[in-house]
Amino acid sequence: MSEPDHPTNILQIHIEEPTSNPEQVSAHHTLAKDPAEAEKRYRALVHVMISQLTGLQDTHLRFIVTPAIPEALEAVTFWLLPLFRGKITKSKDHFLFTPEQYAPAISIEFTTDEDACTTSYEKTATLSAYCPECSSRWINAAMAQCTKDTKVVGESYLSIQHLASESETTLLSLPKLPTIKTAADWDIAIAPESTAPSLIRPKLKKLHQEL
């Protein structure tokens, strides 16, 4: 598949370098009391989230890595790229992901710059890495609803704003989706199917067991 035209939208996701070092302050350590187990859960969680992104339309994907050091950037790039099911090629300052199944190609960027420029995109979205339920179909639909007069927000997991938005805009709230940020959240997420139906539960449990 050839290089896609410059995407209209950008989706930014903050990603931590996975670590079991208790001395390295990391948000994902709240996923379990044991830092090693917390790292395993975080890796499984992000893997599921990555699998949900196939199908993004007209959207550039930017991962913002912490800690903001070259070693973390390299480690996260090396970790995440193989999680995309398809062909990955290097193209200038980004990677091009061509999915195995019939879906649009996606340009992927890794950076440690929290303030990386977004002004060349019409719509800027931020997605929580802790919300694996938020799929590409969900994101595409939310992007379509975002206009210069309407900001789209999914509480705690997704925010989309138009480049030309005015100071006074209508706020469109999306239905609530669960985030998995604590050990209690994790227990609920992998609980038996009868407690709360979930499409990602079997995948999350399987990936966690394989780590």
Side-chain angles (χ1 to χ4, degrees):
M1 183 177 291
S2 61
E3 181 87 10
D5 294 332
H6 186 279
T8 301
N9 314 315
I10 182 170
L11 176 65
Q12 300 188 117
I13 303 173
H14 289 79
I15 294 287
E16 290 187 319
E17 178 186 18
T19 179
S20 56
N21 181 1
E23 296 182 0
Q24 181 173 322
V25 179
S26 303
H28 64 271
H29 284 172
T30 60
L31 288 168
K33 290 183 178 180
D34 175 36
E37 174 61 19
E39 179 186 346
K40 280 181 60 177
R41 293 179 179 184
Y42 183 63
R43 286 181 179 274
L45 190 61
V46 171
H47 195 156
V48 175
M49 182 270 295
I50 292 293
S51 71
Q52 293 279 74
L53 297 178
T54 297
L56 282 176
Q57 297 175 356
D58 197 18
T59 299
H60 175 64
L61 182 56
R62 174 184 287 163
F63 292 106
I64 302 174
V65 178
T66 54
I69 56 175
E71 294 82 2
L73 182 66
E74 182 179 1
V76 169
T77 302
F78 183 77
W79 165 43
L80 292 192
L81 285 179
L83 303 185
F84 287 87
R85 297 289 299 274
K87 182 180 179 182
I88 298 286
T89 55
K90 186 75 169 67
S91 179
K92 299 179 181 178
D93 58 349
H94 64 270
F95 296 88
L96 183 65
F97 165 53
T98 305
E100 288 179 347
Q101 60 267 55
Y102 183 75
I106 304 172
S107 54
I108 304 172
E109 172 192 358
F110 295 86
T111 183
T112 57
D113 185 2
E114 287 272 354
D115 300 315
C117 184
T118 60
T119 56
S120 63
Y121 300 93
E122 184 178 283
K123 300 173 185 178
T124 301
T126 301
L127 172 68
S128 169
Y130 296 90
C131 185
E133 296 276 5
C134 191
S135 67
S136 60
R137 180 175 293 184
W138 191 272
I139 297 168
N140 290 338
M143 287 284 198
Q145 295 179 78
C146 176
T147 69
K148 64 180 181 179
D149 300 314
T150 304
K151 180 179 180 179
V152 181
V153 174
E155 184 181 356
S156 300
Y157 69 92
L158 183 66
S159 177
I160 309 175
Q161 186 161 337
H162 197 284
L163 177 66
S165 62
E166 304 292 340
S167 56
E168 294 184 8
T169 58
T170 301
L171 185 64
L172 176 62
S173 296
L174 299 174
K176 190 170 183 178
L177 289 179
T179 54
I180 305 172
K181 295 183 176 180
T182 67
D185 293 337
W186 176 270
D187 290 340
I188 293 171
I190 64 168
E193 193 72 35
S194 58
T195 62
S198 169
L199 295 176
I200 61 98
R201 179 177 290 112
K203 185 182 294 186
L204 186 62
K205 292 178 68 174
K206 181 176 183 293
L207 290 170
H208 176 257
Q209 292 167 359
E210 291 174 350
L211 289 171

